[in-house]
Amino acid sequence: MGISVLMSCWAFIILYLHIVDFTCPETITEELVIVSETDTLASSDSESSSCGCHSLKRDGVVSIDRDASLLSEQAAVKYSKRANDGMEVNQEHNQDLYIPDEMVLIPAGEFFMGTNNPEIPQDGEGPQRRVHLKHFYMDSHEISNQEFQKFVNATSYVTEAEKFGDSFVFEGLLSEAVKSQIFQAVAAAPWWLPVKGADWRHPEGSDSTIADRLDHPVLHVSWGDATAYCTWAGKRLPTEAEWEYACRGGLNDRLFPWGNKVHPKGQHYANIWQGEFPTQNTGEDGYTRTSPVMSFPANGYGLYNMVGNVWEWTSDWWSVHHTTDELHNPKGPETGQDRVKKGGSYMCHKSYCYRYRCAARSQNTPDSSASNLGFRCVSQNKL
């Protein structure tokens, strides 16, 4: 009897270890690994870590116990709308807010796309390859709520999030009233919740508004929504190669649009996460959610917020396999299931999602929308 019980106990322990090792790698990494924020490269743990925003598929949600929410009550207060409003820079927000609709010239040239020292190899960051590009013009900033509002007013366009009736929002930004009505979460990243009524006009659900965020990037736009806007404006989405070339701002083989240090001379150059994800964002850069589209210094080409703030759609289909051949104006694979997004967002931190580098990349299905996903346009001619 004693031997039988002992064998049963060992079988349970082995089964438990098997489950931990193979079904929850991201959760274990986030619970056990603490990486200090320095200007050094991210640890190898970042290779298996993610904020989970590439997993935002409507068929990937599971039921959750509202009483066992991922975030504590204290964290919910920290990230409440009231707290977030208090963190942001004091600005006048009104319907007449002026946001320059400016495109800047990205000169023709060649650059090394990708990297031979990938931080997240499974994302297809390498190998490095020489790419030649024609000149083009790019929006100096992400498309703002105000600009998208003009598009909708002119065309009566309805976004995919509005058609679906919901969109994905980071739990830490939701009010308690909204959270209390949600009983599902993304299985691979339970801090992402499908929120009914969340769309570009209501970034955190029905009780939120963009009235004080007209100069912030538009959110909850799918790849199709972004393409529709660009077409209306006489523009298009950038290819991944164009986006990365523009991101580098004329610098060769650097991590960020401004160089290799995250905080040159102690200054913040991008809206990213500070603190421990997902429960504490200290907002040291001035923001705990999106920032205005022309925040922080522009890069060498005059482009704002190329990394951080919001992920940006590109026109390319997703693939992690790349040729080492020299390329001219590449447009990516001819077909695929996901589209490439670049730049990271305000939710990125080097200890778990070190994707706010120019060479970093991620993907979503074309119908995906979320509270950290936006876009900007390009054109061959200045408009």
Side-chain angles (χ1 to χ4, degrees):
M1 176 68 74
I3 293 176
S4 176
V5 171
L6 182 60
M7 291 180 67
S8 297
C9 290
W10 275 111
F12 173 79
I13 291 172
I14 291 171
L15 176 61
Y16 174 77
L17 290 176
H18 174 79
I19 293 173
V20 168
D21 284 344
F22 295 102
T23 63
C24 302
E26 294 184 12
T27 302
I28 297 302
T29 298
E30 285 155 6
E31 288 179 354
L32 300 184
V33 177
I34 299 177
V35 180
S36 61
E37 179 157 352
T38 67
D39 287 341
T40 60
L41 296 180
S43 72
S44 60
D45 292 303
S46 66
E47 295 178 4
S48 62
S49 301
S50 172
C51 67
C53 56
H54 64 284
S55 303
L56 303 184
K57 299 177 175 64
R58 287 183 169 82
D59 59 357
V61 298
V62 295
S63 298
I64 58 173
D65 180 357
R66 189 70 268 161
D67 294 331
S69 174
L70 175 76
L71 302 180
S72 67
E73 289 301 313
Q74 183 177 2
V77 173
K78 179 183 288 291
Y79 299 118
S80 69
K81 183 177 186 300
R82 183 180 65 257
N84 283 324
D85 287 344
M87 288 297 300
E88 299 194 352
V89 177
N90 232 346
Q91 294 189 356
E92 291 293 327
H93 294 278
N94 54 61
Q95 296 295 323
D96 299 322
L97 184 70
Y98 176 66
I99 305 169
D101 181 14
E102 182 183 16
M103 301 193 82
V104 298
L105 173 66
I106 312 300
E110 63 180 62
F111 79 112
F112 286 102
M113 184 175 179
T115 176
N116 286 330
N117 299 294
E119 290 298 325
I120 311 176
Q122 66 267 29
D123 280 355
E125 294 181 358
Q128 195 173 71
R129 57 269 188 204
R130 187 186 296 272
V131 172
H132 300 260
L133 290 173
K134 297 178 181 178
H135 83 273
F136 59 96
Y137 290 86
M138 176 175 264
D139 291 336
S140 63
H141 54 73
E142 299 141 337
I143 299 303
S144 68
N145 283 313
Q146 185 185 59
E147 290 168 312
F148 199 79
Q149 183 173 263
K150 290 179 181 177
F151 160 61
V152 171
N153 289 343
T155 64
S156 299
Y157 184 83
V158 179
T159 63
E160 291 198 67
E162 291 172 288
K163 292 176 182 177
F164 280 116
D166 62 22
S167 189
F168 291 103
V169 183
F170 173 57
E171 181 179 5
L173 298 179
L174 297 173
S175 68
E176 289 302 314
V178 169
K179 282 199 293 185
S180 67
Q181 301 300 312
I182 301 172
F183 301 95
Q184 290 182 313
V186 176
W191 44 84
W192 280 108
L193 306 181
V195 177
K196 292 187 181 302
D199 55 45
W200 73 273
R201 290 187 180 91
H202 310 97
E204 293 85 47
S206 58
D207 62 354
S208 63
T209 177
I210 60 169
D212 62 343
R213 284 180 271 178
L214 292 176
D215 58 347
H216 286 229
V218 65
L219 306 173
H220 299 291
V221 283
S222 68
W223 186 89
D225 300 332
T227 299
Y229 175 94
C230 290
T231 301
W232 170 77
K235 305 175 185 181
R236 60 178 173 81
L237 286 174
T239 65
E240 182 179 4
E242 289 173 332
W243 191 100
E244 187 170 327
Y245 178 54
C247 177
R248 295 183 181 278
L251 300 179
N252 293 318
D253 202 23
R254 296 294 187 269
L255 294 174
F256 312 113
W258 56 86
N260 282 331
K261 292 189 174 182
V262 178
H263 302 132
K265 298 181 180 180
Q267 299 298 309
H268 290 280
Y269 276 65
N271 179 14
I272 55 178
W273 188 286
Q274 294 92 41
E276 293 185 30
F277 184 85
T279 57
Q280 182 192 27
N281 186 350
T282 62
E284 293 172 17
D285 58 19
Y287 304 96
T288 56
R289 57 181 183 190
T290 59
S291 62
V293 295
M294 298 185 74
S295 303
F296 306 98
N299 74 358
Y301 289 147
L303 301 169
Y304 294 87
N305 292 328
M306 286 299 288
V307 297
N309 214 25
V310 294
W311 283 101
E312 298 182 17
W313 287 112
T314 73
S315 61
D316 288 30
W317 287 109
W318 172 262
S319 174
V320 296
H321 304 292
H322 312 294
T323 178
T324 57
D325 295 343
E326 198 164 327
L327 300 172
H328 292 261
N329 306 299
K331 296 182 179 180
E334 293 185 3
T335 60
Q337 293 184 330
D338 292 353
R339 295 285 185 175
V340 177
K341 61 180 183 179
K342 297 280 283 185
S345 78
Y346 62 89
M347 291 177 61
C348 284
H349 185 282
K350 70 191 312 179
S351 68
Y352 69 90
C353 187
Y354 192 37
R355 291 180 173 88
Y356 50 94
R357 296 165 290 113
C358 291
R361 56 204 301 271
S362 188
Q363 87 278 16
N364 278 119
T365 55
D367 65 352
S368 296
S369 59
S371 58
N372 68 342
L373 182 54
F375 70 103
R376 75 180 74 203
C377 309
V378 299
S379 175
Q380 290 307 128
N381 301 302
K382 190 171 184 178
L383 300 176

